[in-house]
Amino acid sequence: MNFKSIIFLFALCLNYGLTNAQYHIQRNTVYGELFGVGEFYTINIDHVINEFHHNSETFRAGISFRPGNSYYLTTGLNFMHGIKRQKDRYIEMGIGATYKNEYSKGKATGEKYTFLGKSDSFGYLSIGYRKQGTKKEPLFWKVAFTPLILRNIGDAVKGSNVGWLGYFMPSIGASVGYSF
């Protein structure tokens, strides 16, 4: 490989980096989700782990409270496949788990919370459409089909399909947030 070839490859890589930088997505997002993986709502943080070409991988973590009843902790991994003509739009596919713990107010004082020891976890899948925030436009939103995979028949809605993974409960989530 001669010197001119090295300069040409360097210039090509630099040009690719500059054109990609115009559409650089923000790596962190804080958002709220209605329904979806936390059953009612969750507050989440999402971090882009890896970007390659116009695809990305993200990790999400979230929390949800149902006052006087239970809380949920969610985690998940997503793969985002970019839509070519819209640099901040993605088809998102993901998998994750939600942990649920129930609690109630203490009987004697009525002020302290007592954990009942009823905890459960369930898996979920996710496929949806996502607008990732950019430096110029930090608004984030997504809509996703997020079926829950429950292990316990008591958690499933009547009429759910039983599969080898457990009980399948269809769910849809809608999210909006801020990317930085």
Side-chain angles (χ1 to χ4, degrees):
M1 187 179 257
N2 64 21
F3 184 72
K4 287 182 183 179
S5 298
I6 293 172
I7 295 296
F8 175 74
L9 287 174
F10 177 76
L12 189 64
C13 290
L14 182 62
N15 183 41
Y16 175 76
L18 290 175
T19 56
N20 238 13
Q22 295 172 4
Y23 303 105
H24 181 69
I25 60 172
Q26 296 292 73
R27 296 186 74 80
N28 299 302
T29 302
V30 174
Y31 64 95
E33 179 179 43
L34 286 177
F35 303 109
V37 303
E39 291 186 356
F40 298 101
Y41 76 93
T42 53
I43 304 299
N44 301 282
I45 186 157
D46 190 279
H47 177 72
V48 175
I49 302 169
N50 192 11
E51 287 182 76
F52 45 97
H53 227 26
H54 193 55
N55 298 316
S56 299
E57 295 170 345
T58 69
F59 173 78
R60 78 179 265 177
I63 191 164
S64 175
F65 291 96
R66 198 179 317 165
N69 188 350
S70 57
Y71 70 91
Y72 299 80
L73 300 173
T74 64
T75 60
L77 290 171
N78 298 316
F79 173 76
M80 301 184 332
H81 178 69
I83 298 173
K84 290 184 180 183
R85 295 180 190 241
Q86 298 176 328
K87 302 293 184 183
D88 60 349
R89 308 297 166 102
Y90 295 87
I91 299 297
E92 176 185 87
M93 296 162 280
I95 189 167
T98 299
Y99 171 78
K100 174 184 174 183
N101 197 340
E102 294 183 11
Y103 60 89
S104 67
K105 287 189 177 183
K107 292 181 181 178
T109 62
E111 294 176 11
K112 294 183 180 179
Y113 285 95
T114 305
F115 290 96
L116 300 174
K118 292 182 182 178
S119 63
D120 195 13
S121 59
F122 52 89
Y124 68 86
L125 302 173
S126 174
I127 184 163
Y129 183 77
R130 173 180 182 141
K131 189 261 180 212
Q132 182 67 25
T134 62
K135 288 183 181 182
K136 291 182 181 178
E137 194 177 314
L139 177 68
F140 162 89
W141 60 265
K142 77 175 178 176
V143 177
F145 176 61
T146 57
L148 306 178
I149 303 166
L150 307 170
R151 295 181 300 165
N152 211 345
I153 188 120
D155 294 337
V157 173
K158 281 194 172 195
S160 294
N161 297 323
V162 177
W164 64 275
L165 287 174
Y167 302 94
F168 178 79
M169 187 170 93
S171 177
I172 295 176
S175 306
V176 66
Y178 178 79
S179 298
F180 56 96

